[in-house]
């Protein structure tokens, strides 16, 4: 066996082994080792990587081994060469059979992609450390390093940790790195085995990129977490299917939180969620089926909250802490949330669309509004359990309007009103409306031609003919589009991408004949912009992508429209 205590002894033993196997006594130059070894049939694994240029590995050629599939174990006799290197970038990139590396990186500052795609790498023995390292982009990406290897190291000077442990590493605990110096954590732990973030507060004051940091990991609980200066937290917890709770999450300068909790199917509670600079919330809570509460939700720059909780049918409580003053579209915000009990801190002062905001919220008890912020027709007709305090907050929330507006409330709430409260409502120029069976939801009606019904994944769906139709968005199978239902066949024709689609069929409802629209040019439904509610969220049902599904959906839409 070759000695590995130093390079000279190792090369001497290699030369002797070559002479023995080739039956020669000739001297062999180190530069000839590679060719000589390859000529030996059945050469053992330890010779399967070229040795002729090993003596050149060092500061002059730190990436010599890049892409070598022969390299399986990096021996310790290269320490002197390692000490020369400051730039370890790509040093062992794509050495796909490398299992263990014995190095000394004490002088290194750049470690970007040092072990990138070393898909069998389990252990790194570093007789130095990584304390001077700044850039660790993709450093351990797509390796199989574990806590046993990584917890020995401290990354004291790190600035860039992008995808550092992402894409397959087996670490389960948060590594030791400097939270003050790091600025880029994009995909730092994406798709790795990370499961434990500890219980101490985590604060990353200088990180600007927090996209997909913890996405597709195994984390269960998130302690207080703060990214003071990040501008994007897109997908930060995306598809963390084991995640159940987030304590307080503070990202005060983020403008993009799209898909932040998308696919967190077991997430039930969020403490304080502070995202005051975010204006739109593309799929923020998509498929968060178990979400029950957000203790405080600061959305002070938001303009559109339509259907924000569309797939969170277990939502019980949320407090917007009076932060919705810029929101214009609240349509369908809580539609179909039959277990919702508490909705606080609502400022409706900029609202232009309140359609179906609380449709079917039959368990709502506690609700608070900013005073004088409700200026347009408002419907709480599904909510019979409002507390006395909530009723008074609702009355206080009504603004005095020039044009008479309608306040729709449940009969059980109306009977609680005192004469003084009724007088106050009237003095603000509001009518009290008590819904009766069969009274229609006029907000679902669309009459005029060339009316945009919805924009879905960037594709516009427009009703193109005059005539009264009832409208909604809907998902059939895995495709999302619009549904128009009318007694007039022409009224359900719509256009998409310049093509017109006429009625797909008709059915009988209450002894009348109704037509329903086509299912053509539907989309994946990741981003829905519409003033009309999504039928699946209201009915809690799925519909097949055929005429039978269309007929069932149309029936449910009419039941909802007629308050049946």
């Amino acid at each position: 066996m070759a000695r590995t205590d130093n390079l000279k002894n190792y090369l001497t033993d290699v030369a002797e082994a070559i002479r023995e196997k080739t039956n020669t006594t000739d001297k062999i130059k180190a530069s000839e080792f590679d060719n000589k070894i390859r000529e030996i049939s059945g050469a053992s694994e330890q010779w399967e990587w070229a040795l002729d240029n090993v003596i050149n590995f060092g500061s002059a050629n730190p990436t010599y081994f890049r892409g070598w599939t022969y390299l399986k174990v990096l021996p310790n006799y290269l320490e002197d060469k390692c000490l020369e290197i400051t730039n370890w970038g790509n040093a062992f990139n794509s050495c796909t059979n490398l299992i263990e590396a014995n190095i000394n990186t004490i002088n290194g500052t750049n470690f970007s992609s040092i072990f990138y795609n070393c898909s069998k790498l389990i252990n790194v023995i570093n007789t130095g450390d990584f304390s001077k390292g700044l850039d660790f982009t993709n450093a351990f990406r797509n390796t199989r390093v574990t806590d046993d290897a990584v917890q020995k190291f401290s990354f004291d000077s790190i600035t860039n940790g992008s995808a550092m442990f992402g894409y397959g590493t087996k670490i389960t605990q948060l590594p030791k790195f400097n939270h003050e110096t790091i600025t880029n954590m994009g995909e730092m732990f994406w798709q790795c085995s990370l499961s434990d973030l500890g219980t101490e507060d985590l604060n990353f004051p200088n990180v600007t990129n927090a996209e997909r940091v913890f996405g597709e990991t195994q984390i269960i609980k998130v302690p207080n977490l703060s990214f003071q200066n990040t501008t994007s937290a897109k997908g930060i917890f995306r598809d963390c299917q084991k995640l159940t709770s987030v304590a307080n999450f503070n990202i005060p300068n983020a403008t993009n939180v799209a898909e932040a909790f998308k696919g967190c199917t077991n997430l039930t509670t969020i403490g304080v969620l502070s995202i005051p600079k975010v204006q739109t919330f593309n799929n923020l809570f998509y498929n968060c089926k178990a979400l029950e509460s957000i203790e405080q939700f600061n959305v002070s720059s938001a303009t559109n909250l339509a259907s924000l909780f569309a797939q969170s049918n277990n939502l019980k409580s949320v407090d917007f802490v009076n932060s919705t003053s810029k929101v214009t579209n609240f349509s369908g915000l809580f539609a179909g949330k039959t277990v919702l009990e508490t909705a606080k801190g609502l400022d409706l002062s900029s609202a232009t669309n309140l359609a179906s905001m609380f449709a079917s919220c039959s368990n709502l008890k506690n609700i608070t509004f900013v005073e004088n912020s409700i200026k347009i027709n408002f419907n709480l007709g599904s909510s019979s359990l409002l507390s006395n305090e909530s009723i008074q907050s609702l009355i206080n929330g009504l603004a005095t309007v020039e044009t008479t507006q309608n306040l729709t409330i449940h009969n059980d709430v109306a009977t609680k009103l005192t004469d003084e409260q009724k007088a106050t409502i009237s003095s603000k120029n509001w009518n009290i409306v008590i819904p009766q069976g069969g009274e229609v939801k006029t907000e679902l009606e669309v009459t005029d031609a060339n009316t945009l019904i919805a924009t879905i994944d960037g594709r516009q769906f427009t009703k193109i003919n005059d005539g009264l139709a009832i409208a909604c968005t809907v998902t059939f199978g895995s495709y999302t589009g619009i549904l128009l239902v009318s007694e007039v066949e022409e009224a359900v024709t719509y256009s998409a991408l310049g093509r017109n689609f006429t009625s797909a069929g008709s059915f009988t409802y209450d002894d009348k004949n109704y037509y329903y629209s086509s299912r053509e040019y539907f989309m994946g439904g990741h981003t829905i912009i519409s003033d009309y509610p999504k039928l699946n969220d209201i009915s809690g049902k799925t519909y097949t992508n055929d005429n039978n599904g269309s007929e069932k959906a149309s029936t449910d839409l009419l039941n909802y429209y007629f308050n049946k």
Side-chain angles (χ1 to χ4, degrees):
M1 179 178 293
R3 294 166 289 176
T4 60
D5 52 341
N6 62 63
L7 181 59
K8 180 179 179 181
N9 287 339
Y10 186 81
L11 295 178
T12 299
D13 289 350
V14 171
E16 182 60 34
I18 293 173
R19 282 192 290 268
E20 180 181 344
K21 288 183 178 292
T22 56
N23 296 315
T24 182
T25 58
D26 295 341
K27 290 184 177 181
I28 301 175
K29 297 179 181 180
S31 61
E32 299 174 345
F33 279 8
D34 190 35
N35 290 333
K36 294 290 185 182
I37 291 171
R38 294 183 189 280
E39 292 171 0
I40 301 172
S41 176
S44 60
E45 288 184 356
Q46 63 178 319
W47 314 131
E48 286 184 1
W49 54 293
L51 295 171
D52 55 320
N53 281 330
V54 164
I55 56 176
N56 291 324
F57 174 72
S59 59
N61 197 9
T63 60
Y64 178 72
F65 295 111
R66 179 176 181 173
W68 278 32
T69 57
Y70 299 105
L71 186 60
K72 295 188 176 181
V73 176
L74 192 69
N76 60 7
Y77 60 72
L78 294 175
E79 180 167 347
D80 289 345
K81 295 293 183 180
C82 291
L83 292 175
E84 301 174 2
I85 301 174
T86 58
N87 184 358
W88 286 85
N90 293 295
F92 306 102
N93 187 331
S94 297
C95 293
T96 53
N97 285 303
L98 182 64
I99 298 172
E100 180 178 279
N102 193 321
I103 54 178
N104 186 332
T105 64
I106 193 169
N107 293 316
T109 58
N110 177 23
F111 295 95
S112 62
S113 299
I114 179 175
F115 295 114
Y116 180 26
N117 208 30
C118 293
S119 54
K120 294 182 180 179
L121 182 65
I122 298 173
N123 192 26
V124 176
I125 301 171
N126 192 345
T127 54
D129 55 47
F130 292 105
S131 61
K132 296 179 182 177
L134 303 175
D135 189 353
F136 288 89
T137 304
N138 296 321
F140 298 94
R141 176 174 176 164
N142 194 27
T143 68
R144 301 299 177 264
V145 292
T146 65
D147 293 326
D148 289 340
V150 174
Q151 289 296 323
K152 299 173 185 176
F153 309 134
S154 183
F155 305 93
D156 297 332
S157 303
I158 184 172
T159 58
N160 193 341
S162 176
M164 181 178 180
F165 296 102
Y167 298 89
T169 63
K170 299 301 180 181
I171 63 170
T172 62
Q173 298 177 323
L174 203 64
K176 291 173 282 192
F177 63 96
N178 192 327
H179 296 184
E180 301 287 331
T181 59
I182 191 166
T183 60
N184 187 350
M185 291 179 65
E187 295 189 340
M188 188 170 183
F189 303 102
W190 171 261
Q191 291 182 346
C192 78
S193 298
L194 184 67
S195 60
D196 183 8
L197 296 184
T199 58
E200 299 294 324
D201 294 356
L202 295 175
N203 183 28
F204 304 99
N206 295 305
V207 170
T208 57
N209 178 14
E211 292 190 359
R212 293 179 289 275
V213 178
F214 304 108
E216 293 193 27
T217 62
Q218 307 301 309
I219 56 176
I220 299 173
K221 295 183 177 181
V222 177
N224 293 336
L225 178 63
S226 178
F227 290 91
Q228 289 288 334
N229 287 298
T230 193
T231 55
S232 180
K234 179 180 180 180
I236 187 170
F237 298 110
R238 177 176 171 172
D239 292 321
C240 290
Q241 296 182 2
K242 294 185 178 180
L243 180 63
T244 60
S245 65
V246 176
N248 298 326
F249 186 26
N250 181 36
I251 41 176
N253 289 296
T255 56
N256 186 356
V257 293
E259 302 181 349
F261 298 99
K262 180 181 180 180
C264 295
T265 53
N266 287 296
L267 177 63
T268 58
T269 61
I270 300 175
V272 176
L273 179 55
S274 183
I275 45 178
K277 290 191 176 180
V278 176
Q279 294 183 342
T280 57
F281 301 88
N282 294 340
N283 295 314
L284 176 61
F285 298 112
Y286 183 83
N287 212 22
C288 291
K289 299 177 180 179
L291 183 63
E292 295 182 359
S293 67
I294 303 177
E295 186 177 337
Q296 294 183 21
F297 194 9
N298 184 347
V299 293
S300 53
S301 292
T303 58
N304 187 348
L305 297 182
S307 302
L308 179 62
F309 300 108
Q311 298 192 342
S312 302
N313 287 330
N314 288 305
L315 188 67
K316 295 180 180 178
S317 175
V318 61
D319 185 348
F320 282 102
V321 292
N322 299 343
S323 67
T324 61
S325 63
K326 296 181 181 179
V327 177
T328 60
N329 190 352
F330 289 88
S331 63
L333 176 59
F334 298 111
K337 305 299 173 284
T338 56
V339 299
L340 181 70
E341 296 180 356
T342 301
K344 292 185 175 181
L346 292 165
D347 186 338
L348 308 185
S349 55
S350 296
T352 58
N353 189 347
L354 299 174
S356 302
M357 182 176 179
F358 288 98
S360 302
C361 292
S362 55
N363 207 40
L364 183 63
K365 301 178 178 70
N366 307 302
I367 189 167
T368 63
F369 300 90
V370 170
E371 291 187 5
N372 302 310
S373 69
I374 309 173
K375 302 174 183 177
I376 60 175
N377 293 337
F378 190 53
N379 191 335
L380 279 171
S382 299
S383 306
S384 62
L385 304 178
L386 295 182
S387 67
N388 290 331
E389 292 78 10
S390 296
I391 294 172
Q392 188 58 55
S393 182
L394 172 60
I395 296 171
N396 293 341
L398 299 176
T400 300
V401 292
E402 293 183 5
T403 303
T404 302
Q405 300 294 312
N406 291 328
L407 174 63
T408 302
I409 54 177
H410 194 278
N411 184 63
D412 291 353
V413 173
T415 58
K416 292 182 180 181
L417 294 177
T418 66
D419 291 341
E420 181 181 355
Q421 289 174 324
K422 293 177 183 178
T424 299
I425 295 171
S426 178
S427 70
K428 293 184 175 185
N429 203 16
W430 286 77
N431 286 330
I432 297 174
V433 177
I434 300 173
Q436 303 296 325
E439 183 174 339
V440 300
K441 292 182 172 63
T442 56
E443 66 266 24
L444 302 182
E445 297 177 351
V446 54
T447 303
D448 296 335
N450 301 316
T451 299
L452 178 64
I453 304 300
T455 301
I456 302 172
D457 295 347
R459 181 170 295 171
Q460 292 185 334
F461 293 80
T462 302
K463 177 180 178 290
I464 65 169
N465 293 326
D466 287 324
L468 176 63
I470 312 306
C472 68
T473 61
V474 64
T475 295
F476 292 110
S478 58
Y479 299 98
T480 299
I482 67 170
L483 176 62
L484 299 173
V485 179
S486 176
E487 294 181 63
V488 180
E489 184 175 6
E490 292 78 10
V492 301
T493 301
Y494 69 84
S495 68
L497 285 182
R499 293 184 58 188
N500 294 345
F501 301 96
T502 57
S503 172
S506 63
F507 68 107
T508 300
Y509 181 89
D510 280 355
D511 297 324
K512 294 181 180 180
N513 191 56
Y514 285 87
Y515 297 90
Y516 51 81
S517 55
S518 169
R519 299 178 303 279
E520 296 293 330
Y521 273 36
F522 278 29
M523 303 295 293
H526 301 299
T527 303
I528 303 173
I529 302 173
S530 178
D531 291 336
Y532 299 91
K534 187 174 182 181
L535 181 62
N536 309 72
D537 298 331
I538 294 169
S539 68
K541 297 179 182 179
T542 58
Y543 302 103
T544 55
N545 192 16
D546 52 29
N547 280 1
N548 185 52
S550 288
E551 184 171 332
K552 289 181 178 179
S554 299
T555 300
D556 287 341
L557 178 59
L558 290 178
N559 284 337
Y560 179 61
Y561 171 69
F562 286 116
N563 283 301
K564 291 187 176 182

